Coordinates of all heavy atoms in Angstrom, one line a residue:
M1 N -5.0 121.0 -36.6 CA -5.5 120.1 -35.5 C -6.0 118.8 -36.1 O -6.6 118.7 -37.2 CB -6.7 120.7 -34.8 CG -7.3 119.9 -33.7 SD -8.3 120.9 -32.7 CE -9.7 119.8 -32.5
I2 N -5.6 117.7 -35.5 CA -6.0 116.3 -35.9 C -7.4 116.1 -35.4 O -7.7 116.2 -34.2 CB -5.0 115.3 -35.4 CG1 -3.6 115.6 -35.9 CG2 -5.5 113.9 -35.8 CD1 -2.5 114.7 -35.2
D3 N -8.3 115.7 -36.4 CA -9.7 115.5 -36.0 C -10.2 114.1 -36.2 O -11.3 113.8 -36.0 CB -10.6 116.5 -36.6 CG -10.5 116.5 -38.2 OD1 -9.7 115.7 -38.7 OD2 -11.3 117.2 -38.8
T4 N -9.2 113.2 -36.5 CA -9.5 111.7 -36.7 C -8.4 110.9 -36.0 O -7.3 111.4 -35.7 CB -9.7 111.3 -38.1 OG1 -8.4 111.5 -38.8 CG2 -10.8 112.1 -38.9
Y5 N -8.7 109.6 -35.8 CA -7.7 108.7 -35.4 C -7.7 107.4 -36.1 O -8.7 107.1 -36.7 CB -7.8 108.5 -33.8 CG -9.0 107.7 -33.4 CD1 -8.9 106.3 -33.2 CD2 -10.2 108.3 -33.2 CE1 -10.0 105.6 -32.8 CE2 -11.3 107.5 -32.8 CZ -11.2 106.2 -32.6 OH -12.2 105.4 -32.2
S6 N -6.6 106.7 -36.1 CA -6.5 105.4 -36.8 C -5.6 104.5 -35.8 O -4.9 105.0 -35.0 CB -5.8 105.5 -38.1 OG -6.5 106.3 -39.0
T7 N -5.8 103.2 -36.0 CA -5.0 102.3 -35.2 C -3.5 102.6 -35.4 O -3.0 102.9 -36.5 CB -5.2 100.8 -35.7 OG1 -6.6 100.6 -35.5 CG2 -4.4 99.8 -34.9
Y8 N -2.8 102.6 -34.3 CA -1.3 102.9 -34.3 C -0.7 101.9 -35.2 O -1.0 100.7 -35.2 CB -0.7 102.8 -33.0 CG -1.2 103.9 -32.0 CD1 -1.8 103.6 -30.8 CD2 -1.0 105.2 -32.3 CE1 -2.3 104.5 -29.9 CE2 -1.4 106.2 -31.4 CZ -2.0 105.9 -30.2 OH -2.5 106.8 -29.3
E9 N 0.3 102.3 -36.1 CA 1.0 101.4 -37.0 C 1.7 100.3 -36.2 O 1.7 99.1 -36.6 CB 2.0 102.2 -37.7 CG 2.8 101.4 -38.8 CD 1.9 100.9 -39.9 OE1 0.9 101.7 -40.3 OE2 2.1 99.8 -40.4
S10 N 2.2 100.6 -35.0 CA 2.9 99.6 -34.2 C 2.0 98.6 -33.6 O 2.4 97.5 -33.1 CB 3.7 100.3 -33.1 OG 2.8 101.0 -32.2
D11 N 0.7 98.8 -33.6 CA -0.3 97.8 -33.1 C -0.9 96.9 -34.3 O -1.5 95.9 -34.0 CB -1.5 98.5 -32.5 CG -1.4 98.6 -31.0 OD1 -0.5 98.0 -30.4 OD2 -2.2 99.4 -30.4
R12 N -0.6 97.2 -35.5 CA -1.3 96.5 -36.6 C -0.9 95.0 -36.6 O -1.8 94.2 -37.0 CB -1.0 97.2 -37.9 CG -1.7 98.5 -37.9 CD -1.6 99.3 -39.2 NE -2.3 100.6 -38.9 CZ -2.9 101.2 -39.9 NH1 -3.0 100.8 -41.1 NH2 -3.5 102.4 -39.6
E13 N 0.3 94.6 -36.3 CA 0.6 93.2 -36.3 C -0.2 92.5 -35.2 O -0.7 91.4 -35.4 CB 2.1 93.0 -36.1 CG 2.5 91.5 -36.0 CD 2.2 90.8 -37.3 OE1 2.2 91.4 -38.4 OE2 1.9 89.6 -37.2
L14 N -0.3 93.1 -34.0 CA -1.2 92.5 -33.0 C -2.6 92.4 -33.4 O -3.3 91.4 -33.2 CB -1.1 93.3 -31.7 CG -1.9 92.8 -30.5 CD1 -1.6 91.4 -30.1 CD2 -1.8 93.8 -29.3
F15 N -3.1 93.4 -34.0 CA -4.5 93.4 -34.6 C -4.7 92.2 -35.5 O -5.7 91.5 -35.5 CB -4.9 94.7 -35.2 CG -5.4 95.8 -34.3 CD1 -4.7 96.1 -33.2 CD2 -6.6 96.4 -34.5 CE1 -5.2 97.1 -32.3 CE2 -7.1 97.4 -33.7 CZ -6.4 97.7 -32.6
R16 N -3.7 92.0 -36.4 CA -3.8 90.9 -37.4 C -3.8 89.6 -36.6 O -4.6 88.7 -36.9 CB -2.7 91.0 -38.4 CG -2.9 92.0 -39.5 CD -1.8 91.8 -40.6 NE -0.5 92.4 -40.2 CZ -0.2 93.7 -40.2 NH1 -1.1 94.6 -40.6 NH2 1.0 94.1 -39.9
K17 N -2.9 89.4 -35.7 CA -2.8 88.2 -34.9 C -4.1 87.9 -34.2 O -4.5 86.7 -34.1 CB -1.7 88.3 -33.9 CG -1.5 87.2 -33.0 CD -0.4 87.4 -32.0 CE -0.4 86.4 -30.9 NZ 0.4 86.8 -29.8
L18 N -4.8 88.9 -33.6 CA -6.0 88.7 -32.9 C -7.3 88.7 -33.7 O -8.3 88.4 -33.2 CB -6.1 89.8 -31.8 CG -5.0 89.9 -30.7 CD1 -5.2 91.1 -29.8 CD2 -5.0 88.6 -30.0
G19 N -7.1 89.1 -35.0 CA -8.3 89.1 -35.9 C -9.2 90.3 -35.7 O -10.4 90.3 -36.0
L20 N -8.6 91.4 -35.3 CA -9.3 92.6 -35.0 C -9.4 93.6 -36.2 O -8.5 93.5 -37.1 CB -8.7 93.4 -33.8 CG -8.6 92.7 -32.5 CD1 -7.8 93.5 -31.5 CD2 -10.0 92.3 -32.0
T21 N -10.4 94.4 -36.3 CA -10.5 95.4 -37.4 C -9.6 96.6 -37.1 O -9.6 97.1 -36.0 CB -12.0 95.8 -37.5 OG1 -12.8 94.7 -37.8 CG2 -12.2 96.9 -38.6
V22 N -8.9 97.0 -38.1 CA -8.0 98.2 -37.9 C -8.9 99.4 -38.1 O -9.6 99.5 -39.1 CB -6.9 98.1 -38.9 CG1 -6.1 99.5 -38.9 CG2 -5.9 97.0 -38.7
A23 N -8.8 100.3 -37.1 CA -9.6 101.6 -37.2 C -8.9 102.5 -38.2 O -7.6 102.7 -38.1 CB -9.7 102.2 -35.8
K24 N -9.6 103.2 -39.1 CA -9.0 104.1 -40.0 C -9.8 105.4 -40.1 O -11.0 105.3 -40.4 CB -8.9 103.5 -41.4 CG -7.9 102.3 -41.5 CD -7.9 101.7 -42.9 CE -6.9 100.5 -42.9 NZ -6.9 99.9 -44.2
N25 N -9.2 106.5 -39.8 CA -9.8 107.8 -40.0 C -11.2 107.9 -39.3 O -12.1 108.4 -39.9 CB -9.9 108.2 -41.5 CG -8.6 108.2 -42.1 OD1 -7.7 108.8 -41.6 ND2 -8.5 107.6 -43.3
I26 N -11.2 107.5 -38.0 CA -12.4 107.6 -37.2 C -12.5 109.0 -36.6 O -11.5 109.5 -36.1 CB -12.4 106.5 -36.1 CG1 -12.1 105.1 -36.7 CG2 -13.6 106.6 -35.3 CD1 -13.2 104.7 -37.7
P27 N -13.6 109.7 -36.6 CA -13.7 111.0 -36.0 C -13.4 110.9 -34.5 O -13.7 109.9 -33.8 CB -15.2 111.3 -36.1 CG -15.7 110.5 -37.3 CD -14.9 109.2 -37.2
N28 N -12.6 111.9 -34.0 CA -12.3 111.9 -32.6 C -13.5 111.8 -31.7 O -14.6 112.2 -32.1 CB -11.6 113.3 -32.3 CG -10.1 113.3 -32.8 OD1 -9.6 112.3 -33.1 ND2 -9.6 114.4 -32.8
W29 N -13.3 111.1 -30.6 CA -14.3 110.9 -29.5 C -15.3 109.8 -29.9 O -16.2 109.5 -29.1 CB -15.0 112.2 -29.1 CG -14.0 113.2 -28.7 CD1 -13.7 114.3 -29.4 CD2 -13.2 113.2 -27.5 NE1 -12.7 115.1 -28.8 CE2 -12.4 114.4 -27.6 CE3 -13.1 112.4 -26.4 CZ2 -11.5 114.7 -26.6 CZ3 -12.1 112.7 -25.5 CH2 -11.4 113.9 -25.6
E30 N -15.2 109.3 -31.1 CA -16.1 108.2 -31.5 C -15.6 106.8 -31.1 O -14.4 106.6 -31.3 CB -16.4 108.2 -33.0 CG -17.4 107.2 -33.5 CD -17.7 107.4 -35.0 OE1 -17.9 108.5 -35.4 OE2 -17.6 106.4 -35.7
T31 N -16.4 106.0 -30.5 CA -16.0 104.7 -30.1 C -16.4 103.7 -31.2 O -17.5 103.8 -31.8 CB -16.7 104.2 -28.8 OG1 -16.4 105.1 -27.8 CG2 -16.4 102.8 -28.4
V32 N -15.4 102.8 -31.6 CA -15.7 101.8 -32.6 C -15.4 100.4 -32.0 O -14.5 100.2 -31.2 CB -14.9 102.0 -33.9 CG1 -15.3 103.3 -34.6 CG2 -13.4 102.1 -33.6
Q33 N -16.2 99.4 -32.5 CA -15.9 98.0 -32.1 C -14.8 97.5 -33.0 O -14.9 97.7 -34.2 CB -17.2 97.2 -32.3 CG -18.4 97.7 -31.5 CD -18.1 97.7 -30.0 OE1 -17.6 96.7 -29.5 NE2 -18.5 98.8 -29.3
L34 N -13.9 96.8 -32.4 CA -12.8 96.2 -33.1 C -12.9 94.7 -33.4 O -12.3 94.2 -34.3 CB -11.5 96.5 -32.3 CG -11.1 97.9 -32.0 CD1 -10.0 98.0 -31.1 CD2 -10.9 98.6 -33.3
G35 N -13.7 94.1 -32.6 CA -13.9 92.6 -32.8 C -13.9 91.9 -31.5 O -13.8 92.5 -30.4
I36 N -14.0 90.6 -31.6 CA -14.0 89.7 -30.4 C -12.9 88.7 -30.6 O -12.7 88.0 -31.6 CB -15.4 88.9 -30.3 CG1 -16.5 90.0 -30.1 CG2 -15.3 87.9 -29.2 CD1 -17.9 89.4 -30.1
V37 N -12.1 88.5 -29.5 CA -11.1 87.5 -29.4 C -11.7 86.4 -28.6 O -12.1 86.5 -27.5 CB -9.8 88.1 -28.7 CG1 -8.8 87.0 -28.5 CG2 -9.2 89.3 -29.4
E38 N -11.7 85.2 -29.2 CA -12.4 84.1 -28.6 C -11.4 82.9 -28.4 O -10.6 82.6 -29.3 CB -13.5 83.6 -29.6 CG -14.4 82.6 -29.1 CD -15.6 83.2 -28.4 OE1 -16.0 84.3 -28.8 OE2 -16.1 82.6 -27.5
T39 N -11.4 82.4 -27.2 CA -10.6 81.2 -26.9 C -11.5 80.1 -26.3 O -12.7 80.4 -26.1 CB -9.4 81.5 -26.0 OG1 -9.9 81.6 -24.6 CG2 -8.6 82.7 -26.4
D40 N -11.0 79.0 -25.9 CA -11.8 78.0 -25.3 C -12.2 78.4 -23.9 O -13.2 78.0 -23.4 CB -11.0 76.7 -25.1 CG -10.7 76.0 -26.4 OD1 -11.5 76.2 -27.4 OD2 -9.8 75.1 -26.5
N41 N -11.4 79.3 -23.3 CA -11.7 79.7 -21.9 C -12.4 81.1 -21.7 O -13.0 81.4 -20.7 CB -10.4 79.8 -21.1 CG -9.7 78.4 -21.1 OD1 -10.4 77.4 -21.0 ND2 -8.4 78.4 -21.3
Y42 N -12.3 82.0 -22.7 CA -12.9 83.3 -22.6 C -13.1 83.9 -23.9 O -12.7 83.5 -25.0 CB -11.9 84.2 -21.8 CG -10.6 84.4 -22.4 CD1 -10.4 85.4 -23.4 CD2 -9.5 83.7 -22.0 CE1 -9.1 85.5 -24.0 CE2 -8.2 83.8 -22.6 CZ -8.1 84.8 -23.6 OH -6.8 84.9 -24.2
S43 N -13.9 85.0 -23.9 CA -14.1 85.9 -25.0 C -13.8 87.3 -24.6 O -14.2 87.7 -23.4 CB -15.4 85.7 -25.7 OG -16.5 86.2 -24.9
V44 N -13.2 88.1 -25.4 CA -12.9 89.5 -25.1 C -13.4 90.3 -26.3 O -13.0 90.2 -27.4 CB -11.4 89.8 -24.9 CG1 -11.2 91.2 -24.7 CG2 -10.8 88.9 -23.8
K45 N -14.4 91.2 -26.0 CA -15.0 92.1 -27.0 C -14.2 93.4 -26.8 O -14.3 94.0 -25.7 CB -16.5 92.3 -26.8 CG -17.1 93.2 -27.8 CD -18.6 93.3 -27.5 CE -19.3 94.3 -28.4 NZ -20.7 94.4 -28.1
L46 N -13.5 93.9 -27.9 CA -12.7 95.1 -27.8 C -13.3 96.2 -28.5 O -13.8 96.1 -29.7 CB -11.3 94.8 -28.3 CG -10.4 93.9 -27.4 CD1 -9.3 93.3 -28.1 CD2 -9.9 94.8 -26.3
S47 N -13.2 97.4 -27.9 CA -13.6 98.7 -28.6 C -12.5 99.7 -28.3 O -11.7 99.6 -27.3 CB -14.9 99.1 -28.2 OG -15.0 99.4 -26.8
V48 N -12.5 100.8 -29.1 CA -11.5 101.9 -28.9 C -12.2 103.2 -29.1 O -13.1 103.3 -29.9 CB -10.3 101.7 -29.8 CG1 -10.7 101.9 -31.3 CG2 -9.2 102.7 -29.4
M49 N -11.8 104.2 -28.3 CA -12.2 105.6 -28.5 C -10.9 106.4 -28.6 O -10.0 106.2 -27.8 CB -13.1 106.0 -27.3 CG -13.7 107.4 -27.5 SD -12.6 108.8 -27.1 CE -12.2 108.5 -25.4
G50 N -10.9 107.3 -29.6 CA -9.7 108.1 -29.8 C -10.0 109.5 -29.8 O -11.1 110.0 -30.1
C51 N -8.9 110.3 -29.5 CA -9.1 111.8 -29.5 C -7.8 112.6 -29.8 O -7.7 113.7 -29.2 CB -9.7 112.2 -28.1 SG -8.7 111.7 -26.7
P52 N -6.9 112.3 -30.5 CA -6.6 111.0 -31.2 C -5.9 110.0 -30.3 O -5.7 108.8 -30.7 CB -5.7 111.4 -32.3 CG -5.0 112.6 -31.9 CD -5.9 113.3 -31.0
A53 N -5.5 110.3 -29.0 CA -5.0 109.3 -28.1 C -6.0 108.2 -28.0 O -7.2 108.5 -28.1 CB -4.7 109.9 -26.7
Q54 N -5.6 107.0 -27.8 CA -6.5 105.8 -27.9 C -6.7 105.2 -26.5 O -5.8 104.9 -25.8 CB -6.1 104.8 -28.9 CG -6.1 105.5 -30.3 CD -5.6 104.7 -31.4 OE1 -5.5 103.5 -31.3 NE2 -5.1 105.3 -32.5
F55 N -8.0 104.9 -26.2 CA -8.5 104.3 -24.9 C -9.3 103.1 -25.3 O -10.2 103.2 -26.1 CB -9.3 105.3 -24.1 CG -8.6 106.6 -23.8 CD1 -8.6 107.6 -24.8 CD2 -8.0 106.8 -22.6 CE1 -7.9 108.8 -24.5 CE2 -7.3 108.0 -22.3 CZ -7.3 109.0 -23.2
Y56 N -8.9 102.0 -24.7 CA -9.6 100.7 -25.0 C -10.5 100.3 -23.9 O -10.3 100.5 -22.7 CB -8.5 99.6 -25.2 CG -7.7 99.9 -26.5 CD1 -6.6 100.7 -26.4 CD2 -8.1 99.4 -27.7 CE1 -5.9 101.0 -27.6 CE2 -7.4 99.7 -28.8 CZ -6.3 100.5 -28.8 OH -5.6 100.7 -29.9
T57 N -11.6 99.6 -24.3 CA -12.5 98.9 -23.4 C -12.5 97.4 -23.8 O -12.7 97.1 -25.0 CB -13.9 99.4 -23.5 OG1 -13.9 100.8 -23.1 CG2 -14.8 98.7 -22.6
A58 N -12.3 96.5 -22.9 CA -12.3 95.1 -23.1 C -13.4 94.5 -22.2 O -13.4 94.6 -21.0 CB -11.0 94.4 -22.7
E59 N -14.4 93.9 -22.9 CA -15.5 93.3 -22.2 C -15.2 91.8 -22.2 O -15.2 91.1 -23.2 CB -16.8 93.5 -22.9 CG -17.2 95.0 -23.0 CD -18.4 95.3 -23.8 OE1 -19.4 94.5 -23.6 OE2 -18.4 96.2 -24.6
I60 N -14.9 91.3 -21.0 CA -14.4 89.9 -20.9 C -15.5 89.0 -20.3 O -16.1 89.3 -19.3 CB -13.2 89.9 -19.9 CG1 -12.0 90.7 -20.5 CG2 -12.7 88.4 -19.7 CD1 -10.9 91.0 -19.5
T61 N -15.7 87.9 -20.9 CA -16.6 86.8 -20.4 C -15.8 85.6 -20.2 O -15.2 85.1 -21.2 CB -17.8 86.6 -21.4 OG1 -18.5 87.8 -21.6 CG2 -18.7 85.5 -20.8
R62 N -15.7 85.1 -19.0 CA -15.1 83.8 -18.7 C -16.0 82.7 -18.9 O -17.1 82.7 -18.3 CB -14.6 83.9 -17.2 CG -13.6 85.0 -16.9 CD -12.2 84.7 -16.8 NE -11.8 83.3 -16.3 CZ -11.6 83.0 -15.0 NH1 -11.8 83.9 -14.1 NH2 -11.3 81.8 -14.7
K63 N -15.7 81.7 -19.7 CA -16.6 80.6 -20.0 C -16.8 79.6 -18.9 O -17.9 79.1 -18.8 CB -16.1 79.9 -21.3 CG -16.2 80.8 -22.5 CD -15.7 80.2 -23.7 CE -15.8 81.1 -24.9 NZ -15.3 80.5 -26.1
D64 N -15.8 79.5 -18.0 CA -15.9 78.5 -16.9 C -16.8 79.0 -15.8 O -17.5 78.2 -15.2 CB -14.6 78.1 -16.4 CG -13.8 79.3 -15.8 OD1 -14.1 80.4 -16.2 OD2 -12.8 79.0 -15.1
T65 N -16.9 80.3 -15.6 CA -17.7 80.8 -14.5 C -18.8 81.8 -15.0 O -19.7 82.2 -14.2 CB -16.8 81.7 -13.6 OG1 -16.2 82.7 -14.3 CG2 -15.7 80.8 -13.0
N66 N -18.8 82.1 -16.3 CA -19.8 83.1 -16.8 C -19.6 84.5 -16.2 O -20.5 85.3 -16.3 CB -21.2 82.7 -16.7 CG -21.6 81.7 -17.8 OD1 -21.0 81.7 -18.9 ND2 -22.6 80.9 -17.6
D67 N -18.4 84.7 -15.6 CA -18.1 86.0 -15.0 C -18.0 87.0 -16.2 O -17.4 86.7 -17.2 CB -16.8 86.0 -14.2 CG -17.0 85.3 -12.9 OD1 -18.1 85.1 -12.4 OD2 -15.9 85.0 -12.3
Y68 N -18.4 88.2 -16.0 CA -18.3 89.3 -16.9 C -17.5 90.4 -16.3 O -17.8 90.8 -15.2 CB -19.7 89.8 -17.4 CG -19.6 91.0 -18.2 CD1 -19.4 90.9 -19.6 CD2 -19.7 92.3 -17.7 CE1 -19.3 92.1 -20.4 CE2 -19.6 93.4 -18.4 CZ -19.4 93.3 -19.8 OH -19.3 94.4 -20.6
L69 N -16.5 90.9 -16.9 CA -15.6 91.9 -16.4 C -15.5 93.0 -17.5 O -15.4 92.6 -18.7 CB -14.3 91.4 -16.1 CG -14.2 90.3 -15.1 CD1 -12.9 89.5 -15.2 CD2 -14.3 90.8 -13.7
E70 N -15.4 94.2 -17.1 CA -15.1 95.3 -18.1 C -13.8 95.9 -17.7 O -13.7 96.4 -16.5 CB -16.2 96.3 -18.2 CG -15.9 97.3 -19.3 CD -17.1 98.3 -19.4 OE1 -18.1 97.9 -20.0 OE2 -17.0 99.4 -18.9
V71 N -12.8 95.9 -18.6 CA -11.5 96.5 -18.3 C -11.4 97.7 -19.2 O -11.6 97.6 -20.4 CB -10.4 95.5 -18.6 CG1 -9.0 96.1 -18.4 CG2 -10.5 94.3 -17.7
T72 N -11.0 98.8 -18.6 CA -10.7 100.0 -19.4 C -9.3 100.4 -19.2 O -8.7 100.1 -18.2 CB -11.7 101.2 -19.0 OG1 -11.5 101.5 -17.6 CG2 -13.1 100.9 -19.3
T73 N -8.7 101.1 -20.3 CA -7.3 101.5 -20.2 C -7.2 103.0 -20.2 O -8.1 103.7 -20.6 CB -6.6 100.9 -21.4 OG1 -6.9 101.6 -22.6 CG2 -6.8 99.4 -21.6
G74 N -6.0 103.4 -19.8 CA -5.6 104.8 -20.1 C -5.2 104.9 -21.5 O -5.3 103.9 -22.3
S75 N -4.6 106.0 -21.9 CA -4.2 106.2 -23.3 C -3.0 105.4 -23.6 O -2.1 105.2 -22.8 CB -4.0 107.7 -23.6 OG -2.9 108.1 -22.9
G76 N -3.0 104.9 -24.8 CA -1.8 104.1 -25.3 C -2.2 103.1 -26.3 O -3.3 103.1 -26.9
R77 N -1.2 102.3 -26.7 CA -1.4 101.3 -27.7 C -2.0 100.0 -27.1 O -1.7 99.7 -25.9 CB 0.0 100.9 -28.3 CG 0.5 102.1 -29.1 CD 2.0 102.0 -29.4 NE 2.4 102.9 -30.4 CZ 2.5 104.3 -30.2 NH1 2.1 104.7 -29.0 NH2 2.9 105.1 -31.1
L78 N -2.8 99.3 -27.8 CA -3.3 98.0 -27.3 C -2.2 97.1 -26.9 O -2.3 96.4 -25.9 CB -4.2 97.4 -28.4 CG -4.9 96.1 -27.9 CD1 -5.8 96.3 -26.7 CD2 -5.7 95.4 -29.1
S79 N -1.1 97.1 -27.6 CA 0.0 96.2 -27.3 C 0.6 96.5 -25.9 O 1.2 95.7 -25.3 CB 1.1 96.3 -28.3 OG 1.6 97.7 -28.5
N80 N 0.4 97.7 -25.4 CA 0.8 98.1 -24.0 C -0.1 97.3 -23.0 O 0.3 97.1 -21.8 CB 0.7 99.6 -23.7 CG 1.6 100.4 -24.5 OD1 2.6 99.9 -25.0 ND2 1.3 101.7 -24.6
F81 N -1.3 97.0 -23.3 CA -2.3 96.5 -22.4 C -2.7 95.1 -22.6 O -3.3 94.4 -21.7 CB -3.6 97.4 -22.4 CG -3.3 98.8 -22.2 CD1 -3.5 99.8 -23.2 CD2 -2.9 99.3 -20.9 CE1 -3.2 101.1 -23.0 CE2 -2.7 100.6 -20.7 CZ -2.8 101.6 -21.7
W82 N -2.5 94.5 -23.8 CA -3.1 93.2 -24.2 C -2.7 92.1 -23.2 O -3.5 91.3 -22.8 CB -2.8 92.9 -25.6 CG -3.4 91.5 -25.9 CD1 -2.7 90.4 -26.2 CD2 -4.8 91.2 -25.9 NE1 -3.6 89.3 -26.3 CE2 -4.8 89.8 -26.2 CE3 -5.9 91.9 -25.7 CZ2 -6.1 89.1 -26.3 CZ3 -7.1 91.2 -25.8 CH2 -7.2 89.8 -26.1
S83 N -1.4 92.1 -22.8 CA -1.0 91.0 -22.0 C -1.7 91.0 -20.6 O -2.1 90.0 -20.1 CB 0.5 91.0 -21.8 OG 0.9 92.2 -21.2
S84 N -2.0 92.2 -20.1 CA -2.8 92.3 -18.9 C -4.2 91.9 -19.1 O -4.8 91.2 -18.2 CB -2.7 93.7 -18.3 OG -1.4 94.0 -18.0
I85 N -4.8 92.3 -20.2 CA -6.2 91.9 -20.5 C -6.3 90.4 -20.6 O -7.2 89.8 -20.0 CB -6.7 92.6 -21.8 CG1 -6.8 94.1 -21.5 CG2 -8.0 92.0 -22.3 CD1 -7.0 94.9 -22.8
E86 N -5.3 89.8 -21.3 CA -5.3 88.4 -21.5 C -5.2 87.6 -20.1 O -5.9 86.7 -19.9 CB -4.2 88.0 -22.4 CG -4.2 86.7 -23.0 CD -3.2 86.5 -24.1 OE1 -2.1 87.1 -24.0 OE2 -3.6 85.7 -25.0
L87 N -4.3 88.1 -19.2 CA -4.1 87.5 -17.9 C -5.4 87.6 -17.1 O -5.7 86.7 -16.4 CB -2.9 88.1 -17.2 CG -1.5 87.7 -17.7 CD1 -0.5 88.6 -17.1 CD2 -1.3 86.3 -17.5
I88 N -6.1 88.7 -17.1 CA -7.3 88.9 -16.4 C -8.3 87.9 -17.0 O -9.1 87.2 -16.2 CB -7.8 90.4 -16.5 CG1 -6.9 91.3 -15.7 CG2 -9.3 90.5 -16.0 CD1 -7.1 92.8 -16.0
A89 N -8.4 87.8 -18.3 CA -9.4 86.9 -19.0 C -9.1 85.5 -18.6 O -10.0 84.7 -18.4 CB -9.3 87.1 -20.5
E90 N -7.9 85.1 -18.4 CA -7.5 83.7 -18.1 C -7.6 83.5 -16.6 O -7.4 82.3 -16.1 CB -6.0 83.5 -18.5 CG -5.8 83.4 -20.0 CD -4.4 83.4 -20.4 OE1 -3.5 83.6 -19.6 OE2 -4.1 83.2 -21.6
G91 N -8.0 84.5 -15.8 CA -8.1 84.3 -14.4 C -6.8 84.3 -13.6 O -6.8 83.9 -12.5
M92 N -5.7 84.7 -14.3 CA -4.4 84.8 -13.7 C -4.2 86.0 -12.9 O -3.3 86.1 -12.0 CB -3.3 84.6 -14.7 CG -3.4 83.3 -15.5 SD -3.4 81.8 -14.4 CE -1.7 81.9 -13.8
I93 N -5.0 87.1 -13.1 CA -5.0 88.3 -12.3 C -6.5 88.5 -11.9 O -7.4 88.5 -12.8 CB -4.5 89.5 -13.2 CG1 -3.0 89.4 -13.5 CG2 -4.8 90.8 -12.4 CD1 -2.5 90.5 -14.3
G94 N -6.7 88.6 -10.7 CA -8.0 88.9 -10.2 C -8.2 90.3 -9.6 O -7.2 90.9 -9.2
I95 N -9.4 90.8 -9.8 CA -9.6 92.2 -9.3 C -10.9 92.1 -8.4 O -11.9 91.5 -8.8 CB -9.9 93.1 -10.5 CG1 -8.6 93.2 -11.3 CG2 -10.3 94.5 -9.9 CD1 -8.8 93.8 -12.7
K96 N -10.7 92.6 -7.2 CA -11.9 92.6 -6.3 C -12.1 94.0 -5.8 O -11.1 94.7 -5.3 CB -11.5 91.7 -5.1 CG -12.6 91.6 -4.1 CD -12.3 90.7 -3.0 CE -13.3 90.6 -1.9 NZ -13.0 89.7 -0.9
T97 N -13.3 94.5 -5.9 CA -13.6 95.9 -5.4 C -14.0 95.7 -3.9 O -14.6 94.7 -3.5 CB -14.7 96.6 -6.2 OG1 -15.8 95.8 -6.1 CG2 -14.3 96.7 -7.6
L98 N -13.6 96.7 -3.1 CA -13.9 96.7 -1.7 C -15.0 97.7 -1.3 O -15.2 98.6 -2.0 CB -12.7 97.0 -0.9 CG -11.5 96.0 -1.2 CD1 -10.3 96.5 -0.4 CD2 -11.9 94.6 -0.8

């Protein structure tokens, strides 16, 4: 049985590009902070929890409005979700609860 998780190899280039910390041999079910992606328009604080499938949380702060959003993902690679997280952070995708 696998009892730890590490950043998927296929995500490592994206992690380097975004300046995120690569997770290595983290105990299952433990959440780790990966870093903050900062632009002129927003900041995104990213964390991951693995079991060993990986689930991401993106805490987004929009600088123009000070809006704070929390985006969570299903299991998968960050590269599957990053473009959507980025579009939400840029205000190009809006989410309204009813």
Side-chain angles (χ1 to χ4, degrees):
M1 181 164 134
I2 299 172
D3 56 357
T4 64
Y5 70 96
S6 297
T7 299
Y8 295 118
E9 187 64 38
S10 61
D11 263 349
R12 292 185 183 211
E13 181 59 33
L14 177 61
F15 274 54
R16 281 190 284 281
K17 177 183 166 194
L18 297 176
L20 301 174
T21 300
V22 172
K24 295 182 182 174
N25 300 316
I26 306 300
N28 284 347
W29 307 106
E30 185 174 311
T31 299
V32 294
Q33 301 300 315
L34 300 172
I36 298 174
V37 177
E38 190 88 30
T39 74
D40 291 340
N41 300 319
Y42 61 82
S43 67
V44 179
K45 181 179 176 182
L46 286 160
S47 60
V48 64
M49 187 276 301
C51 58
Q54 295 174 26
F55 302 83
Y56 291 89
T57 299
E59 298 175 45
I60 300 169
T61 302
R62 302 258 326 271
K63 294 180 180 177
D64 59 342
T65 62
N66 279 335
D67 288 345
Y68 172 83
L69 305 158
E70 184 176 284
V71 176
T72 58
T73 72
S75 65
R77 291 163 171 68
L78 182 60
S79 56
N80 294 340
F81 305 110
W82 178 249
S83 61
S84 296
I85 291 169
E86 196 169 34
L87 287 169
I88 292 167
E90 291 171 350
M92 300 304 290
I93 294 177
I95 300 167
K96 181 178 179 181
T97 59
L98 302 176

